[in-house]
Amino acid sequence: MMEHLTKENFEETISNSKGLVMVDFFSPKCVPCMALMPDVEKLSDEKSDVATFYAFDTTGNMRMAMKQKVMGIPAYLFYKDGEKVASLGKDILEEKGMAAVTAKLDELTV
């Protein structure tokens, strides 16, 4: 199960993280987000040895999402040692789904 970040702990958690981190930006009202959520949770279990996974509910937290340059959801952002290194937006996710996420994780862990 992924830990949920809040606007209060997001920056501190990410900036203090070591290694690869993936954050799922979602909203419970976002149908594509909720459709992908079980797959993201499964991936977080399967790839827990290569990355830490978090979820961030954008509901009421759009300012933090915009600060991270998230312009639409679902969106997955990847950080390495606290620095943003990649992102996958809703267009790629709608086209390629979890295959895009797995490929990005593999690319970033080489």
Side-chain angles (χ1 to χ4, degrees):
M1 184 98 174
M2 294 187 303
E3 182 180 335
H4 284 253
L5 297 176
T6 64
K7 63 184 176 186
E8 291 79 21
N9 69 2
F10 184 94
E11 289 182 338
E12 182 179 352
T13 300
I14 297 302
S15 65
N16 291 330
S17 65
K18 300 293 179 219
L20 184 61
V21 171
M22 183 183 113
V23 181
D24 173 4
F25 285 79
F26 77 100
S27 169
K29 295 178 183 175
C30 167
V31 173
C33 297
M34 299 318 291
L36 288 169
M37 187 71 73
D39 294 328
V40 174
E41 298 235 349
K42 182 179 176 197
L43 185 67
S44 74
D45 290 339
E46 292 172 355
K47 299 275 191 178
S48 63
D49 58 328
V50 297
T52 303
F53 294 81
Y54 295 105
F56 184 81
D57 185 351
T58 60
T59 307
N61 296 309
M62 282 310 295
R63 196 168 274 170
M64 178 61 73
M66 289 171 65
K67 188 173 182 182
Q68 297 301 311
K69 299 192 176 16
V70 172
M71 299 303 161
I73 53 174
Y76 303 129
L77 274 58
F78 301 86
Y79 302 84
K80 219 174 214 178
D81 298 327
E83 297 294 322
K84 186 163 89 171
V85 293
S87 63
L88 294 173
K90 70 178 191 171
D91 292 341
I92 291 173
L93 294 169
E94 286 174 1
E95 181 183 330
K96 297 186 177 180
M98 292 307 293
V101 180
T102 303
K104 185 57 73 179
L105 280 169
D106 290 345
E107 173 190 322
L108 294 170
T109 55
V110 172

